[in-house]
Amino acid sequence: MTKEWTPRIVAFFCNWCTYTAADLAGVSRLKYASNVRVIRLMCSGRVDPQFVLEALAKGADGVLIGGCHPGDCHYVEGNYKMLRRFELLKRLLADMGIEERRVRLEWISAAEGEKVKTVINEMTEQIKKLGPLGMPQKFETWDKEIEHLAVEVQARDAAQGPCPTRAAQLKPMEAVHA
Amino acid sequence: MKYAYFPGCSLKGTGRAYEESLLPVMKHLGVELQELDDWNCCGATAYMAVDEGKACAAAARNLAIAEKSGLQQILAPCSACYLVLNKTQHYLHEYPAMRQTVSRALATVGLRCDGSSAVRHPLDVLINDIGLEAVKQKITRPLKGLKVAPYYGCQIVRPYATFDDQSNPTTMDRLLETLGATVIKWPLKTKCCGGSLTGTLPEAGLRLSYILLKEAIKRGADVIATVCPLCQFNLDAYHPKIAAKWEPVPIPTVYFSQLMGLAFGLPADQVVLNRGMVPMKPLAAAMA
Amino acid sequence: MEIKRTIKYEADRVPGFGRDVMSVPGCEALEHCIQCGTCSGVCPLSIYMDYTPRQVMELVRSDFKNEVLQSHTIWLCASCYACTTECPRQIRITDIMYELKQRAIKEEVYPKRFPIPVLAEEFTKMVHDYGRISETWLVTKMYLRTNPMAALGMAGLGMNLMKTGRFSLKQDKIEHREELAKIMEAVDHENGKAKA
Amino acid sequence: MPKPKVAFYWCASCGGCEETVVDLAEDILGVVEKVDIVLWPVAMDFKYKDVAAMPDKSIVATLLNGAIRTSEQEELAVLLRRKSQYLIAYGACAQLGGIPALANQFSREQILKFNYEDCPALVNEKKTRPQIHFEEAGRAPHLPEFRNVVRTLDQVVDVDFYIPGCPPTPKLTKAAFDALLGGKLPPKGSVLAPDIALCDECERKATKPTNVAFTEFKRPHQALADPTKCFLAQGMVCMGPATRSGCGAACTSGNMPCTGCFGPTSRVRDQGAKILSSLCANVEAKDEEGIRKTLAGIPDPVGTFYRYGLAKSILRRKVDLAMTGNGH
Amino acid sequence: MSAKKEELRIGFYVCHCGHNIAAMVDCAVVARYVETLPGVALSRDYKYMCSDPGQELIQQDIREHRLNRVVVASCSPLLHEHTFRGAVEAGGLNPFYFHMVNIREHDSWVHTDRGEATEKAKALARAAIQRVAHHKALEIKKVEIHPDVLVVGGGIAGIHAAMTLANAGKKVYLVEREPSIGGHMAKFDKTFPTLDCAACILTPKMSEVGSHPNITLWTYSEVTKVDGFVGNYTVQVKRKARYVNEDLCTGCQDCISHCVFKEPKFADDFNEGLGKRKPIFIPFPQATPQAVLIDPEVCLNFKRNKNPDGSPVVGDKCKKTCVEACGEKHAIDFTQKDTLQEVKVGSIIVCTGFKTYDAGRSPAYGYGNYKNVYTALEVERLVNASGPTGGEVILREGKNADGSPKTPKSIGIIHCVGSRDKKTNLWCSRVCCMYSMKLAHLLREHTGAEMYNFYIDMRTPGKGYEEFYNKLLEEGTHFIRGRVGEVTDWAMTPEEEGRLVIRVEDTLAGVVRRIPVDMVVLATGLEPQADAGEVRRLFNMSCGGDGWFLERHPKLAPVSTFTDGVFLAGCCQGPKDIPDTVAQAGAAAAEALVLIDKGYIEQEPNTAHILEDECSGCKSCIPLCPYTAILFDEGRKKAYINEALCKGCGTCVGSCPSASIVQNLFDDQEIFSEIEGVLAYD
């Protein structure tokens, strides 16, 4: 890699406050780090903890969740539901060895374009300090110890015909289903 | 109640009447003060003008000594000390670069300052920790009929103090009322006395002291009560010069602690009215 | 009648000076100044200043370094913080004044024989040497360096101080002076000013 | 016509799955009648070389239970995959990692150190650790290597079907055999259990109100559970809503909350995240302090929500664990 | 599952938006990259996608290239999603086979490195391509609009909005908290810059409101609850007891003159406390409705204790001369209680106005400390002919040489009090410069005093405003550019004795000045109402960081809110003068008319539904729905969603432990592929 490593952050922003605030940041031409990828949801209450885990597993170094301030949720209290999940999710992630600062929940109202900028820049800096999380690479490293299986299987296949590992399909199967 | 006590240089010098009156009053109220071990000058306003980093480091040495002593609260009666120690706390919290410089410097002599102690002013402690009710209990000679102009000066309420209103402080007013005195309302209670300019640039500095003294007399005050050794000095020591330049404005200026000592009926050597240059007649009259 | 040209050329500016001052802790908010004049309005000493505090703020922001560092204004500031408290943009004007004083001392451009910077220097020196201030000695030293004749005018005050038991020729010192020296040295070191 | 060949094998497991096969009771006779068991180490004497000698795909189905932790298990998985038309992950360990996969919270070094050095019940003065090469009296056998990571069967070889449970129920096992022998198998990759959460078959469902708001969480040992009332309504963590049904609500009928051994429904990628989401959203408190206090009743979210599913979870393993190389 | 999937043919368009995007994102590179992604049949970059030719391009491509999915990378979907869905539909495709990528607000406008911005655009585009593959055809839902409108607040904004709607034949409920409509404008003497009398232009409008057959006017009332959604709001209004039957009272005021209190004794709110009123009173002569009310706190017929319901206890001590005076009208009713009324409306216009900054928060100016320091609103009443002094400017403190109450010889008006200040309110209140000049003119007219205006910057951007400034300059008003440091009462010179002294830097002259005056007027700024937070929640609106209600878009939707069917007008949205307020009120009324006349609103089909076979009936989702849209079918032992009530937040979807709830447009699959897409870059 020639370029300096920059963190990848996936952000889940609620449509009414934080996404709008990010639009406002744009309209106001505020400048912030370019490594955040925003996914729009209608409400922070829609943020399924699976999304956070999936983002981390697929290569995000951090996840930012943005919702309306407490009491301001467009859907009355969706943000509280996220807050509650977030409290336990943070602990679960810590137990799984993921630094707390990689996952952040922020209340950003539609008027707080400036806060979008500050939070993103701050988070980028924090994660830069933490370094890459690199889950896809980790998965690869973990599975190095069974890499030989594929090789062995291949060698034997060459001698005796195919034996599927995870990826390959078994032909007679389909006959049975049909 | 126990506090670390940071007297500062003035309270050992020209402002000794402040310490001499404050310590007995605090003792009388059951407050224990433990003077900081080998404290050094806070740096006052002069040091900040020369080198901010060193000024903070010098002040932080005192904070570090206090933290080491295990006492969480530092009592700093002098306004300049109070401000500088507080300012240092703020800088250590707000500016990571400053915090790093200072903590590395302190580390060279095995000291550590994490900014955990609170710098308190005696007025803050009297009102919020001890309480005016407890003060009232100790009064044996209420200051009935004594008209006092409360003078806070600049640096205790500005800009870091949170125990009183920055524009219109009232803690000393309430304390003096509790002592039985009549508190004079005047708009100059936080105006500058001239600070060190009285010495370095008398034309400007003394004029500020003159205005204060004149206005206090005009509003009918018998005495000015102050909380700062420099204010007391400026309002007390330059009367001949002021009289020569403008007009005589004969009104004594005392520390609030001296008035407390009076009201508590403490012996004269613990009220030390003899330290004032302007005759204390109005006080004597009021006491009679 | 003497006439004086007051025009300022771009060459009179020291580009970057304003930004540099604003990068110092406590001085950041200067960029928000709206030149309302509240600082001058509340300053008890603005009436003696060559530039009002507001003007100093603008001169700093516009990089007129020489004008600012040579101005009387910065030495007239008594650090009463009235401006800082009242400023509608929360600019810590007092702290900016401190910063300007430091720069003026460092560049030795303050008015010569002007007692205020001398007092500051002597004060600092005394803290270094003894750890504490003896007011009597401090004032004496200042007068000796600036205006020895004025010291005579202070004789009356000295007498009065003596009468009230507030005059002392004893130089108070702290026990661990070497500790303080070491801290100061370390600060210099941290700031890249290690003794040559 | 020769009877279809069937194999059973066990990897990192407790043996409970084998019990289920036995628990088919009289039904097993029906099964045995219809099939020819060619490998079942727990009950019958076959050797590796017997299997290796079989032609590829000569076994119709292999039911493999247990997670994959050692090189030997990997090798057998590969061999059986090759020899079988259908490889079926049998039980929670093979499907999800199961209890053994909780070890994915620790590194190999931590595990070996504890078990061969620090464990208080241990006598091992020389601190000898298991070896993969070992020479004595001129013999140098190859021993299995203990891997860094616990894996599910499908993380090692291709798997056709899953029969869930810790252990799977005889009923599901029999149904699987019936489908297999009757040629009525669902699409490849299916879990051979209903694709609906446990509450569907739990008798306590009716007792759950529609306005549960958690103020505290109690663990089973901290309270005497009402034998009829929904556990969640009693403030006890029950994985039922996030767990596939098919067990006949065995645990909840026995007055124990569901711990999730059947794994998630097909639409869920991470069972733990899902139950977390649902439980937390229904906490009553709105302030961080109150929320934290309520959730303090779940002191070990990983152990609670991934009791069986850690290896199969999105993160699979504690992410900051060191990997150590081959050879102990 | 097994059904043969139609081959994916995605069309991708990246918009240059002139230079707005193209300057920071290499659009051609993005288009070429997307072309390589699976399922993409066509990829183009184009100058302005939202233009007619841009939209036409999409339609043509759908037809010619048999596209079955469309992705446009341009600005925010909040701006143009609707436009492009329309184009997709016009091309013959279901409009929801579309997804939009925001590479302007979220990319080109906020980044500075072209390479990085282009990379980001690629990642976002890829995510959309992956996501759109999972999109389903959806149908738009239509919701009927109830034709009645609620207007909250009876200031000039509310009055104008209500009148506009009523004149268009719509039924309006106008709810006002105070006993009369009129708001702040009713307190003003004259209006700038024309100097026409505020009462003369406002009073006719007020009485028109009072008598309009289409307007139900509820004063002394507050909205306490709002339920429902656009087109179908149910609003609960609390009508506070006035102890006078509005319908029976004729406004003759005989009761007031016959009150046992011979003289007015109690501070009169309408006159900012400068005047007095009796316990039974009418707020001001032109009040609408023309009905008196009784203040139970001071009326002798009430005891000082309260009933358990909070209403005051009726006593029997007073002679009730008022009842006697009212005679056969029987309008006075001491037993009146607060009542709750419920109305159904389709849309709501919020015009709750502002409050003025509390001058006591700026102690340096001495308000409350020095009696002759006034707020501007007090001076409005002081110069008003129907005000407490009959229009005579006499000071609270001091005497003239002849012993009469003191009239000021010099007056200082301080601008920007509480405004443009980080410690109070950072915003410019927009009207203070102009009203300060108006007051300078009026005070000079009334007193002949020397006038000083202290300003930071003069702001006169309105029709005829700068001309007004010029007029004041001609009148000899002293304009001193400098924010006043302090107002004090200690004298330095003989002419300062006994007067208020203003210390200020005259920044244009570059000197500090002390200016003695007899009267100080504080031009206090405008602030959000104290209860703006609660009101905002009531109507499900947002507030900016400054506390003003937030419009949907600062330029393009200035009177809409983020809640459909709730509109804003007047100062509750931010400080503004009367012309702007009236214009906004008209605009809000027009927005409401659009809804009513169309008769229905199309709703985003982003609702959730439960997969019948998969739901285990665990009930976890039911308490989560804020709209009680999720119900439990006791027969089938499963939950189901009433989609008419569902607003599409997706909270239940994110919480369903067995993933058996699906949200249209935000399906798990769609989001998972978006996550994968944004992260799959190299």
Side-chain angles (χ1 to χ4, degrees), chain B residues 9-17 35-55 57-58 61 65 83 87 90-91 94-95 98 100-102 104-106 108-109 111 154-155 157-160 166-167 190-192 194-205 207-208 229 232-233 236-238 240-241 246 255 274-277, chain C residues 24-28 42 44-45 47-48 75-86 92 94-95 97-103 105-106 114-117 119-121 123-125 127-128 130-136 142-143 150 153-154 156-157 160-168 172-188 190-191 193:
Chain B
C9 308
S10 291
L11 268 71
K12 300 292 182 189
T14 55
R16 61 194 311 161
E35 186 165 329
L36 275 190
D37 198 27
D38 201 36
W39 55 270
N40 58 269
C41 171
C42 71
T45 55
Y47 212 135
M48 281 283 172
V50 177
D51 188 325
E52 198 164 60
K54 285 191 191 170
R61 177 174 175 268
I65 293 171
L83 172 91
K87 182 173 181 168
H90 272 264
Y91 274 32
E94 286 166 35
Y95 302 112
M98 181 67 85
Q100 192 180 322
T101 305
V102 169
R104 286 192 184 159
L106 290 178
T108 59
V109 294
L111 283 174
C154 52
Q155 296 191 336
V157 284
R158 289 192 298 258
Y160 297 113
Q166 296 197 334
S167 306
T190 63
K191 291 286 182 278
C192 178
S196 59
L197 292 176
T198 48
T200 51
L201 210 66
E203 159 62 25
R207 190 169 166 282
L208 297 179
Q232 200 278 336
F233 187 86
D236 185 37
Y238 292 106
K241 279 181 182 267
W246 295 285
Y255 297 103
N274 56 323
R275 297 277 191 223
M277 297 187 198
Chain C
V24 172
C27 305
E28 309 88 344
V42 296
L45 290 145
I47 50 177
Y48 295 102
W75 300 111
L76 277 163
C77 171
S79 312
C80 80
Y81 288 91
C83 49
T84 304
T85 308
E86 293 297 327
R92 296 194 195 168
T94 313
D95 292 340
M97 292 292 180
Y98 275 133
E99 176 62 23
L100 297 174
K101 289 180 206 181
Q102 288 182 33
R103 286 172 189 245
I105 289 178
K106 211 162 84 192
F114 199 48
I116 303 164
L119 177 72
E121 273 187 307
F123 188 102
T124 311
K125 198 163 168 292
V127 173
H128 273 252
Y130 303 108
R132 286 187 196 167
I133 294 300
S134 155
E135 291 151 314
T136 319
M142 178 192 81
Y143 280 119
M154 300 306 280
L157 177 61
N160 277 334
L161 279 173
M162 220 168 309
K163 265 192 248 167
T164 54
R166 289 150 73 179
F167 187 83
S168 161
D172 205 0
K173 319 176 176 169
I174 65 168
E175 203 177 308
H176 298 289
R177 290 191 294 283
E178 78 297 337
E179 189 176 297
L180 196 59
K182 219 168 162 190
I183 292 174
M184 294 302 163
E185 207 177 300
V187 173
D188 273 340
E190 284 293 319
N191 293 335
K193 291 187 286 190

Side-chain angles (χ1 to χ4, degrees), chain D residues 271-290:
Chain D
Q271 186 184 15
K274 266 303 187 185
I275 190 71
L276 178 149
S277 185
S278 154
L279 291 179
C280 293
N282 280 310
V283 163
E284 185 177 71
K286 283 185 178 177
D287 59 304
E288 285 172 51
E289 189 49 47

Side-chain angles (χ1 to χ4, degrees), chain E residues 226-305:
Chain E
V226 179
D227 281 326
F229 45 91
V230 58
N232 297 282
Y233 287 109
T234 306
V235 181
Q236 190 189 61
V237 179
K238 180 166 106 179
R239 306 202 58 201
K240 289 176 277 186
R242 323 169 62 108
Y243 306 105
V244 170
N245 188 324
E246 246 177 79
D247 300 328
L248 302 178
C249 177
T250 60
C252 70
Q253 304 186 27
D254 283 352
C255 50
I256 302 180
S257 32
H258 285 83
C259 176
V260 291
F261 282 91
K262 288 282 167 269
E263 290 302 323
K265 209 181 141 190
F266 308 101
D268 168 5
D269 293 337
F270 184 78
N271 281 320
E272 296 293 303
L274 293 171
K276 300 262 190 280
R277 61 158 169 83
K278 294 184 181 180
I280 187 161
F281 67 105
I282 189 157
F284 57 101
Q286 304 89 341
T288 304
Q290 276 284 313
V292 299
L293 71 156
I294 293 172
D295 175 358
E297 296 290 320
V298 292
C299 172
L300 291 184
N301 203 45
F302 288 100
K303 292 183 177 163
R304 294 292 82 92
N305 50 340

Side-chain angles (χ1 to χ4, degrees), chain C residues 22-138:
Chain C
M22 283 184 248
S23 70
V24 172
C27 305
E28 309 88 344
L30 176 56
E31 57 190 7
H32 296 133
C33 177
I34 53 169
Q35 287 289 298
C36 67
T38 307
C39 42
S40 319
V42 296
C43 177
L45 290 145
S46 55
I47 50 177
Y48 295 102
M49 292 170 175
D50 46 0
Y51 294 110
T52 64
R54 171 190 60 84
Q55 287 171 321
V56 168
M57 293 303 115
E58 190 54 42
L59 287 168
V60 171
R61 198 160 56 171
S62 306
D63 301 329
F64 287 107
K65 177 181 171 183
N66 298 325
E67 287 75 359
V68 168
L69 295 191
Q70 286 166 26
S71 77
H72 294 171
T73 301
I74 59 177
W75 300 111
L76 277 163
C77 171
S79 312
C80 80
Y81 288 91
C83 49
T84 304
T85 308
E86 293 297 327
C87 174
R89 293 298 156 117
Q90 296 182 315
I91 303 168
R92 296 194 195 168
I93 298 156
T94 313
D95 292 340
I96 294 176
M97 292 292 180
Y98 275 133
E99 176 62 23
L100 297 174
K101 289 180 206 181
Q102 288 182 33
R103 286 172 189 245
I105 289 178
K106 211 162 84 192
E107 309 213 353
E108 301 193 333
V109 292
Y110 54 85
K112 288 285 169 268
R113 297 178 77 79
F114 199 48
I116 303 164
V118 173
L119 177 72
E121 273 187 307
E122 287 298 335
F123 188 102
T124 311
K125 198 163 168 292
M126 197 174 273
V127 173
H128 273 252
D129 293 349
Y130 303 108
R132 286 187 196 167
I133 294 300
S134 155
E135 291 151 314
T136 319
W137 281 114
L138 179 65

Side-chain angles (χ1 to χ4, degrees), chain E residues 62 258 313 594:
Chain E
I62 293 174
H258 285 83
V313 178
V594 169

Side-chain angles (χ1 to χ4, degrees), chain D residues 245-265:
Chain D
S245 60
C247 60
C251 292
T252 60
S253 317
N255 207 16
M256 278 300 280
C258 169
T259 50
C261 70
F262 265 52
T265 56

